[in-house]
Amino acid sequence: MASIYQINKGVNKPIVFKGLKAQYIAYLAVGLVLLLISFAVLYISGVSLFIVLPLILSLGTVLFISTFRLSHRFGEHGLMKYLARRGLPRSLKFRSRRLFTTLKHVNHGRS
């Protein structure tokens, strides 16, 4: 009877594609679209193909290397945690106690 139902074993696992995890796939896709648009704009504007191709290829290489490096360094949620931690102040300084003395005790049904 148990063989009728299939078990999905990858329910809570992050999306992984060729070593890229979660949101880094989207970062790479957006970067590639931007490179394609910049190639089209430069080519249509009349810039020589001998300048455009090496420029786009080098920027694409940098995009791939940096995206894979970020994915391996931070993992699925690590980059967001890293940026959030950088946004926190190291310490808080209060020049008076008025903030704490004016607080009123609020009981939310807890004993």
Side-chain angles (χ1 to χ4, degrees):
M1 193 71 177
S3 64
I4 296 173
Y5 300 105
Q6 294 179 357
I7 298 172
N8 189 356
K9 295 183 179 181
V11 173
N12 287 329
K13 292 184 180 179
I15 299 171
V16 177
F17 178 73
K18 303 275 186 185
L20 286 178
K21 297 174 187 139
Q23 75 268 17
Y24 302 104
I25 298 169
Y27 295 160
L28 184 63
V30 169
L32 288 175
V33 168
L34 290 175
L35 280 175
L36 180 67
I37 291 171
S38 62
F39 173 79
V41 167
L42 288 172
Y43 185 72
I44 291 172
S45 65
V47 180
S48 174
L49 199 58
F50 292 113
I51 296 172
V52 173
L53 272 179
L55 177 69
I56 295 298
L57 289 176
S58 62
L59 288 175
T61 304
V62 168
L63 173 70
F64 268 87
I65 290 171
S66 61
T67 307
F68 275 94
R69 188 172 289 162
L70 284 173
S71 177
H72 289 297
R73 178 178 175 194
F74 291 113
E76 184 181 1
H77 299 294
L79 182 61
M80 290 183 284
K81 290 179 182 180
Y82 175 74
L83 294 175
R85 190 174 296 128
R86 283 184 55 198
L88 291 175
R90 289 187 182 190
S91 63
L92 298 175
K93 294 182 182 180
F94 295 100
R95 302 204 188 282
S96 73
R97 293 176 43 202
R98 186 182 325 169
L99 174 69
F100 298 106
T101 57
T102 58
L103 290 176
K104 295 187 178 192
H105 178 69
V106 179
N107 188 0
H108 292 286
R110 297 181 192 130
S111 297

